[in-house]
Amino acid sequence: MMKKYLLLAFSLLFGLSQSQIIRKYSNEFLNIGAGARGLAMGGAVITNQDDVYAPMWNPAGLMSVERDWQGAAMHAEYFESIAKYDYLAYAKVLEEGVFGVSVVRLGVDNILNTTQMIDSEGNIDYDKITKFSQSDYAAILSYAFRPGGNPKLDVGVNAKIVYRNVGKFANGYGFGFDVGAIYKADNGWKFGGMVRDITTTVNFWSINQKELSTVVNGEEFNPAPKDKLELTMPKLNVGASKLFEINSSVYVLPEAGINVDFAKTASLISTDFASISPYAGAELGYQKMIFVRLGINRFQSITDIEDLKRKVSFQPSAGLGIRYRGLTLDYAITNSGIGGSNFYSNFFSLKLDMGAFRND
C-alpha cells in the first residue's frame, strides 16, 4: 500500500513538472533569512545559529535553546523603504525537543494600479488610477530533536504555509517542508545541512481576470497567466564551522559552505541540473557580550551592461551585536549584490532569552 502511494506521489510530481510550472525563484522571500546575526555573516550560520532564529537557516539549531523560551523580532526595509520585511518568532523547550513558530512578511505598499486608466475606446482617465499592495506571508512551524537521544546529532523540520497576495488581482496559497541536521564532531568541528522545500513547495494561484485585464479597441491587455499552479524546487545549504578561543575573553567562529540550487541560475558553477555558489562568514566575540561579524555570499557571474563583459558579483555583509543578560540586539548591513549596485539594506533584530534571565 505504501509503495502505491509513493508511486502515485511521484507520478503526480512528474506530471506537474512537465506542465512548465516550475519556477526558479518562487517564494524567494523565504530565502532572505532572518536575524541580523545570520545576515551579517552572509548566511554562514547553517551550523551555528543556535537560537530562535534557527528555522530560517537550519531548524536543527533550535536544539541549542536549552532553557525555558525565546522570542525574537526583526524589521528591515529594502530599496529606500519601498519594500518592508518583518519577522516574528517564538521557541519553547519541550521534554524531548524544541518547538518553534515563526511568521514572515515581505510587502510593497502603494503600488499604482493603471489597468483601468484606459477605457475600451482608448481614452485616458487618470482618476481611475488606484493603489494596491503586494505582500508575501509565511507561517512556519518547527520542531528539533535528537534521534535516539544522540548528543552529537541534532535534527529539525519546518512545516510552511505560504500566502501571497497581489492586491485585487491574484492570491496564492502554498505549503512545503524543510529538513536540517547538525553533527558535532569530537574535535570541535560542526557539520550541517538544510534542504529547503524538500518535497517541493506547491503554490496554488487564483487570478481575478476582471480586475487584471483591460480591453482597448477590442484588444485585450494583461491576460491572466495560463498556469495557476507553481512548484518551488529544493535548495541545499551545507556548511562547516569551528569555534577558536583566542583567550578566556575572545573567540572567533568562522563558517564556510556552499548553496546549491537545483536549477540553472547565474551562480559561478551552473549546469542544467544544479547551480553552486560558495559562502563564508565569521563572528568575533568578546566575553559573549560584544560581537563583530563579516560575511560574503551570492557569488554570481553576470554581464556588465556598459562593456558587455562577464564579471563576478557578490553580496558582502557586516554587523554588530550586543548582549546583556537575556536581551540581545543585533545590526547588519548588506548589499543586494545585483550588478554591483549600491542598494544597501539595514537590518535590526531583537532577541529575548527568558532562560538566560532566569538563570542569572
Side-chain angles (χ1 to χ4, degrees):
M1 183 64 71
M2 180 59 69
K3 186 176 180 181
K4 273 188 186 177
Y5 285 129
L6 290 175
L7 288 173
L8 178 61
F10 175 80
S11 300
L12 175 61
L13 290 176
F14 180 79
L16 291 174
S17 68
Q18 300 304 303
S19 60
Q20 311 260 327
I21 57 175
I22 294 175
R23 305 286 185 248
K24 291 182 183 179
Y25 305 107
S26 175
N27 294 330
E28 195 66 14
F29 75 106
L30 291 176
N31 295 323
I32 295 174
R37 176 181 183 266
L39 292 163
M41 294 174 66
V45 291
I46 302 301
T47 65
N48 64 79
Q49 189 69 51
D50 55 0
D51 58 17
V52 66
Y53 287 107
M56 294 296 282
W57 306 103
N58 185 347
L62 282 175
M63 278 305 298
S64 294
V65 181
E66 297 178 343
R67 300 184 302 273
D68 217 329
W69 61 269
Q70 292 183 1
M74 188 191 81
H75 175 74
E77 298 186 0
Y78 287 93
F79 306 111
E80 299 181 351
S81 301
I82 294 176
K84 296 177 174 59
Y85 181 66
D86 295 287
Y87 177 83
L88 291 172
Y90 170 83
K92 172 68 176 176
V93 177
L94 304 178
E95 186 174 343
E96 296 184 356
V98 180
F99 169 78
V101 58
S102 312
V103 179
V104 186
R105 179 189 184 269
L106 175 65
V108 179
D109 301 314
N110 298 318
I111 304 171
L112 294 180
N113 172 20
T114 60
T115 58
Q116 306 302 318
M117 183 179 68
I118 304 176
D119 64 23
S120 59
E121 297 179 356
N123 300 311
I124 298 176
D125 185 354
Y126 292 102
D127 291 333
K128 290 187 177 181
I129 297 178
T130 58
K131 295 181 179 180
F132 69 97
S133 297
Q134 193 279 328
S135 300
D136 297 329
Y137 298 88
I140 305 172
L141 300 179
S142 308
Y143 184 71
F145 62 99
R146 292 193 172 113
N150 185 351
K152 293 184 178 181
L153 180 63
D154 298 338
V155 174
V157 179
N158 288 335
K160 304 181 293 189
I161 300 174
V162 179
Y163 171 68
R164 306 180 67 186
N165 173 260
V166 187
K168 297 180 291 184
F169 308 112
N171 293 286
Y173 295 88
F175 60 92
F177 298 90
D178 308 324
V179 175
I182 298 173
Y183 177 77
K184 292 161 280 189
D186 292 332
N187 58 7
W189 281 93
K190 289 184 178 182
F191 304 93
M194 177 182 179
V195 182
R196 302 175 185 271
D197 307 300
I198 189 168
T199 58
T200 69
T201 292
V202 184
N203 291 314
F204 302 90
W205 283 94
S206 175
I207 311 297
N208 188 335
Q209 179 61 42
K210 182 179 179 181
E211 291 289 344
L212 180 65
S213 67
T214 181
V215 178
V216 178
N217 295 326
E219 183 178 356
E220 182 183 15
F221 294 86
N222 303 321
K226 294 181 180 179
D227 296 328
K228 305 294 178 64
L229 182 68
E230 65 179 1
L231 296 179
T232 304
M233 294 300 291
K235 293 180 175 63
L236 172 65
N237 310 111
V238 295
S241 69
K242 184 176 181 179
L243 188 145
F244 298 91
E245 293 185 346
I246 308 302
N247 54 46
S248 60
S249 298
V250 180
Y251 72 83
V252 176
L253 176 60
E255 178 176 302
I258 58 172
N259 299 319
V260 182
D261 289 277
F262 293 99
K264 189 175 181 63
T265 69
S267 297
L268 291 184
I269 302 174
S270 184
T271 68
D272 291 334
F273 173 71
S275 301
I276 301 173
S277 177
Y279 72 83
E283 176 181 75
L284 174 68
Y286 174 71
Q287 292 189 347
K288 296 184 179 180
M289 292 179 58
I290 300 173
F291 311 93
V292 179
R293 301 161 181 135
L294 295 171
I296 191 167
N297 202 342
R298 298 191 182 180
F299 288 87
Q300 294 184 320
S301 177
I302 64 171
T303 302
D304 189 278
I305 298 177
E306 295 181 357
D307 56 21
L308 300 180
K309 292 182 179 180
R310 301 292 292 178
K311 67 177 185 179
V312 175
S313 72
F314 55 87
Q315 177 176 307
S317 54
L320 302 169
I322 184 169
R323 180 170 66 188
Y324 176 71
R325 298 182 66 184
L327 193 63
T328 304
L329 176 64
D330 293 313
Y331 165 76
I333 183 170
T334 181
N335 183 282
S336 68
I338 301 174
S341 64
N342 292 317
F343 288 107
Y344 283 85
S345 300
N346 298 290
F347 296 81
F348 294 91
S349 65
L350 187 67
K351 180 179 72 176
L352 174 63
D353 186 346
M354 188 56 65
F357 267 120
R358 294 181 177 175
N359 187 60
D360 292 342

